[in-house]
Structure formats: C-alpha cells, structure tokens
Amino acid sequence: MDRNRKILIAILAVVAFSAVLAIVDISLTMQERQTMAPSIGIPQVGPGVGVVRIEGPIDFSDSSSPFGMLSGAEAAIKRLDEMSRNPNIRAIVLRINSPGGTVGATQEIYQKLMNLRKRNVVVVASMGEIAASGGYYIASACSRIVANYGTITGSIGVIIMAPNLRQLFDKLGINMAVIKSGKYKDILSSFREMTPEERELIQEIIDSSYQKFVSDVSLGRNLSRDDILPVADGRIMTGNKALECKLVDVIGTFEDAVNEARKLAKLPEDSAVYDEVKSPFQQLLFSMEGMYRGRSAGLLERSFGFGGYNIVQYRYQP
Amino acid sequence: MDTIKSMRWVDFFLYAITDPGALYRQIQKNEPRPLVLSFAVPVFAALTGIIAGSLVGVESRFFYSKLTYGWLLSVVSSLFTIVAAAALMDAFAQFLGYRGNMKEMMALVNFSQLPKIFVLPLVLIFRTIHFAPPFFYVLFSVLVALWSAFIVVKGIAEMHDSGAGRAVIIFLFPYLLAGVTVFLMLVLGVLYLVRYVSG
C-alpha cells in the first residue's frame, strides 16, 4: 500500500513539475516572439506627441453617458487638459473629423486651444474627412493646420434651423396652447409661423456669432478679416482650395501632422505618439452607449439623423 | 500533522484513480476527514486547466492575468458548479428514495476532478514534440471528462448500493436540468428578439 501511495505522490509531483515547466515554456515562447516581432520604431515612452480626436458633431449634450464615460466636447477638453499637465506631452495633434457643432462647445474648445498656444504648447490640427464650420473654427486655434487634399473644410458661418410643422398640425387638428410671459418666449416654435421681429432677433444672434467666428479665425490664423471675409460665406471647399485661401498651412496626412508637431516641438523623429487608444472594454461600453442613444433619441433626431434643431450652430448642414 | 505523516490522505487520490468504489468507502469512513482535502482537487485542476489551455494557444502578457485572477475566477466558478451539481444529484437521489448525504456527494464530485490534472503533462509532451497539441488537448479533455463521470457514477452506485443505470441517471440529472433550462432560455430569448425586431 505504501508503495502505491509513494507512486501516486510521485505522479502528483510530476504533474506539479509539468505545471512549472509549462509556465516557463509559455513565458519563454512569449519572450522569443516579442524579440522576433518586427520593431515599429516608435517607443511608447518618454517625451512625445499626444493625440486628441474630435469626431462627429461638437456639443455638450449627453457628455456623460449612462456608463459614466465622457464623450463629445467635454471629453476633448478633459483630454486636452490632461495632456497639457503631462510633462511627457511636448506637442498635441488635434485630429478633426467633424462638421462642427454648437456655438458654446466649439468656442470652449477654441479657447482651450488658444490658452495652450499662449503657454507655448505646440498644437497641430490634422483634418480628416471633414473639418467644416465649427470643425474649422477649432482648427484655426492650432499653430499649424494640415489637411488632406480632399478634406471638406471651410463652411465659415452660423446656422439655425427650426422646423415649421404648423400645416401638419392643422391637418391633424392639433392645437398648442401656449401661455408665455413675453412675446419672444416661444421664439422658433414649430407650431406657428415666425414673425418678422423674431426673424430679426435671431438674425442678430446669428450675425453676432458669425462676427465672433470670423474674428476668432482671423486671430487664430494670424490673417486680416479682409483675407477671410471673401470665403466666409458658408462655402465648403477642399483642403487644396483651403490652402490657396490660406485657411490651412500644409496638405498632408495624419502622419505628416504628427511629424510637423515633432518638428515644431523639436522632438526626435521616432518620439512616442500617445493616441487615444480605447481598451476593448471601453469600446464595448461605447458601442453599448451608441445603442442606448439610438434607442433613446427623439423622433426628429431618429428621423433626420441629427438633433440640431433650434440651436445656433457652427455647423455644415447640407 | 500525524495525519499528514501517516500518508492516509493519499488514499483518496489513489482510489480516485484506481478504484472509485473504494474511494467512496474511504470517504464514508471519514478518516481522515475528506471534505476539506477534496477541495484541493478542483483548485489544482483549475490551475492545470488554465495552463494546459494556454499551451495550445498563442499567448500574450494576458497569460499572467489568466494565471492569477483567471485562476481565482476559475476556482470560484468550478466550486459553484461542483456544489450545485452535487446538491442536485443528492436531491435527485433522495427523490428516487435513497438517503441523502451532501457532504459525501460533494467530496466524491471533488475527487472525481482528479483526472483533469493529467491533461497538462500529456499536452506538454505533445507540445514539446510539436505533434498536434490542440488535437490531443481536445482528445484528452474529452477522455478525462468521461473518466471523471465514471468516478462519480461508480461512487454513486457504491453510495446508494444501486445499479449503474440509476447511478448514471442521478449523475446526469443536473446536466439534463441545465440543458433544459438553457434551451428554454434560448426559446424565450428568440421569442423576445422576434418581438423586439417586429415591434
């Protein structure tokens, strides 16, 4: 019996030993694979370039998602803030892929970028598919703007849209009872026609926001208002045309923008790039958030694909 | 300490491999106490299971997370499964008119996990000689699962002095119950999905 027991203990010892062997084997294989893997030449440590991405409409709405994750303008400002405090970040590349957005959110990002510029932080804008209106507004706050040849940009202007559903409601026999403290309280109401006084009032807001847009672009780009006004009529243009109009500095890709940032910050060519890489878990949360938003969006938002009614916007709105 | 020195505890492992009927008789003797010792088996089997699985795949640094947090998670999940399965087997045995003994059933199911630890050295051999380790991993996993089932069935037959047929039914009951539950959940899920899509 004792002999059998000893044999069994020996077998268990062999299993334990094989577990140790297997761990060592897996670790060594892993190490070997890492050393054999092709080097990408970009060490992700030390001083480098930080990347901030601005994707989609710029606004503050739903900035904190049901999953507690920041998104939109709030997230961009927070990331810019974190990067400006990180001693390893010597330059920032702002990757813009946006048709613009609300006036307040756009101006807040613009101001944040201008403050960084005043503190001599190098910020380079890289335009993706589209960087129009508010997207261009924030790009104008950067030290350099790099656009692709075919990037849709420009659209310097302000817009507000309000659907007039009066005829539809008349057909359906729906009346809206409105009790208001002043005659402009329900300005831009969808249930009635807009009065000339209201139109004038809204136009004043639009004009004021437009003047601010032009003066901020003029300040950011270091151009005179007269240089900008000829193209500041809401027109969109390609990156190449924008270069001719001095709205951008260089035609190039995202990599070119990163290299430009390195050059301006006097960083070595292989310095690190700190991109906004989301973990698979974060990506899952973001996709779940997208589903949640899709389900909870209003009728107009779902029908027309956006929810930008009754808000003054720096936005390219085809 | 005397119990450890006496090496009597080794008998549980020895009988689990050589004679499952004797294993149950040893558990019944309760000398030394088998229940606490039996939990060492699923704990060690969870570790060897993770390592054996990693041997057949391409590993990254996540392997170390698997080995630590993953192991803990695996132990918790396998203990939960064992306790649930043992409880259901014991309940079903009582339903069939046998006496119930949850402690003995749990110890038996725990010790029945012992063959699983042998997958690791066997897979390690095939990995070392570079001869289809994934195939042998699957093959050995299936074989040791059958071996584990055999140990439980023999133990139950010994426990209730019943025929092999009844012992098999008692052993299969938790799995049938889980299968039916999953099937009904799937049906409900599909019905809900169809309603959601058509709505």
Side-chain angles (χ1 to χ4, degrees):
Chain A
M1 189 61 165
D2 263 0
R3 189 168 165 269
N4 288 344
R5 284 171 178 165
K6 279 175 188 164
I7 289 171
L8 187 87
I9 287 174
I11 291 170
L12 293 179
V14 167
V15 173
F17 182 64
S18 67
V20 176
L21 265 183
I23 293 170
V24 173
D25 184 25
I26 291 168
S27 301
L28 286 176
T29 313
M30 230 153 52
Q31 212 172 8
E32 197 180 334
R33 214 178 33 247
Q34 272 169 5
T35 42
M36 281 170 70
S39 168
I40 52 170
I42 302 173
Q44 295 303 305
V45 285
V49 180
V51 179
V52 178
R53 290 177 185 272
I54 302 211
E55 306 272 349
I58 302 161
D59 58 21
F60 283 132
S61 62
D62 292 331
S63 57
S64 58
S65 73
F67 302 103
M69 300 176 82
L70 278 180
S71 59
E74 202 81 73
I77 290 167
K78 189 168 179 275
R79 184 153 168 88
L80 282 169
D81 220 23
E82 284 169 357
M83 292 212 159
S84 64
R85 277 187 272 115
N86 189 331
N88 270 338
I89 306 294
R90 302 285 166 81
I92 296 170
V93 170
L94 191 70
R95 177 67 168 172
I96 303 166
N97 217 346
S98 168
T102 62
V103 169
T106 306
Q107 285 177 348
E108 203 152 321
I109 297 176
Y110 174 90
Q111 206 50 53
K112 183 85 206 163
L113 291 165
M114 286 304 274
N115 290 342
L116 290 175
R117 251 175 91 173
K118 275 178 203 159
R119 285 163 47 195
N120 291 324
V121 177
V122 173
V123 188
V124 175
S126 162
M127 294 177 165
E129 213 173 320
I130 183 168
S133 200
Y136 180 73
Y137 194 137
I138 54 174
S140 70
C142 299
S143 327
R144 302 278 282 172
I145 301 178
V146 180
N148 289 301
Y149 188 94
T151 297
I152 298 295
T153 186
S155 188
I156 298 173
V158 192
I159 193 168
I160 188 166
M161 294 201 301
N164 186 348
L165 307 175
R166 195 180 65 83
Q167 288 185 353
L168 175 68
F169 287 152
D170 283 349
K171 257 186 198 167
L172 296 171
I174 298 170
N175 279 312
M176 183 61 68
V178 179
I179 298 133
K180 51 189 180 181
S181 57
K183 62 177 179 177
Y184 295 122
K185 195 62 191 160
D186 65 341
I187 196 165
L188 291 173
S189 169
S190 302
F191 306 104
R192 60 177 177 77
E193 297 289 346
M194 187 186 278
T195 65
E197 292 86 5
E198 284 174 340
R199 187 172 287 277
E200 202 176 316
L201 198 67
I202 297 292
Q203 191 64 51
E204 269 176 37
I205 296 170
I206 296 287
D207 290 344
S208 151
S209 300
Y210 173 73
Q211 293 306 327
K212 178 73 176 152
F213 195 156
V214 174
S215 60
D216 278 352
V217 169
S218 152
L219 181 70
R221 296 292 302 153
N222 209 12
L223 293 169
S224 70
R225 283 176 67 86
D226 291 340
D227 287 334
I228 297 161
L229 282 172
V231 287
D233 52 4
R235 73 178 70 181
I236 54 165
M237 59 186 83
T238 60
N240 189 46
K241 180 74 183 164
L243 181 68
E244 282 173 25
C245 300
K246 297 179 187 169
L247 292 184
V248 304
D249 298 298
V250 189
I251 296 293
T253 60
F254 174 70
E255 282 76 13
D256 294 330
V258 171
N259 290 333
E260 190 75 22
R262 282 179 178 140
K263 211 186 296 172
L264 290 173
K266 296 185 177 72
L267 282 164
E269 278 177 16
D270 60 349
S271 54
V273 177
Y274 298 96
D275 202 348
E276 263 180 272
V277 179
K278 291 180 179 73
S279 69
F281 181 65
Q282 278 177 312
Q283 282 171 359
L284 178 73
L285 285 186
F286 266 107
S287 63
M288 282 168 75
E289 185 191 323
M291 280 163 66
Y292 168 82
R293 285 193 180 168
R295 295 278 298 167
S296 60
L299 177 68
L300 282 174
E301 204 166 330
R302 268 188 280 164
S303 308
F304 296 100
F306 63 94
Y309 289 114
N310 299 0
I311 304 167
V312 183
Q313 295 190 90
Y314 294 136
R315 180 162 173 168
Y316 168 51
Q317 195 87 77
Chain B
M1 193 53 105
D2 287 339
T3 313
I4 296 171
K5 276 184 184 168
S6 72
M7 304 264 280
R8 275 175 298 158
W9 56 272
V10 181
D11 294 346
F12 291 111
F13 303 103
L14 185 64
Y15 291 140
I17 297 166
T18 56
D19 185 357
L23 169 68
Y24 173 69
R25 288 193 294 275
Q26 189 73 17
I27 290 170
Q28 199 180 25
K29 269 192 213 164
N30 203 27
E31 182 55 42
R33 289 184 181 174
L35 189 62
V36 179
L37 181 68
S38 70
F39 281 106
V41 180
V43 170
F44 192 54
L47 180 69
T48 55
I50 287 172
I51 300 171
S54 304
L55 276 175
V56 293
V58 178
E59 286 309 308
S60 63
R61 297 195 74 78
F62 183 64
F63 169 68
Y64 300 111
S65 303
K66 278 201 294 189
L67 214 54
T68 48
Y69 302 113
W71 178 32
L72 290 176
L73 201 69
S74 177
V75 167
V76 170
S77 93
S78 72
L79 287 184
F80 176 79
T81 313
I82 287 166
V83 171
L88 286 168
M89 283 180 209
D90 197 51
F92 191 63
Q94 287 183 51
F95 177 75
L96 292 178
Y98 300 114
R99 72 177 175 83
N101 194 330
M102 181 63 188
K103 272 188 183 176
E104 287 177 2
M105 185 65 89
M106 216 144 72
L108 178 69
V109 178
N110 277 339
F111 282 118
S112 75
Q113 306 295 304
L114 191 65
K116 289 185 179 173
I117 67 169
F118 299 122
V119 175
L120 172 62
L122 293 170
V123 172
L124 185 62
I125 292 168
F126 285 93
R127 180 184 151 99
T128 310
I129 60 171
H130 300 289
F131 189 69
F135 168 76
F136 285 102
Y137 172 71
V138 175
L139 179 73
F140 292 135
S141 297
V142 172
L143 291 179
V144 297
L146 292 173
W147 189 0
S148 291
F150 173 74
I151 294 170
V152 180
V153 168
K154 283 285 279 182
I156 291 171
E158 188 74 26
M159 185 186 287
H160 299 305
D161 205 11
S162 67
R166 284 211 152 192
V168 169
I169 291 169
I170 292 170
F171 168 74
L172 285 179
F173 175 70
Y175 303 100
L176 289 173
L177 192 72
V180 170
T181 310
V182 169
F183 175 72
L184 289 176
M185 279 168 70
L186 271 174
V187 170
L188 276 173
V190 168
L191 284 176
Y192 177 78
L193 200 71
V194 168
R195 208 182 119 216
Y196 180 82
V197 170
S198 61

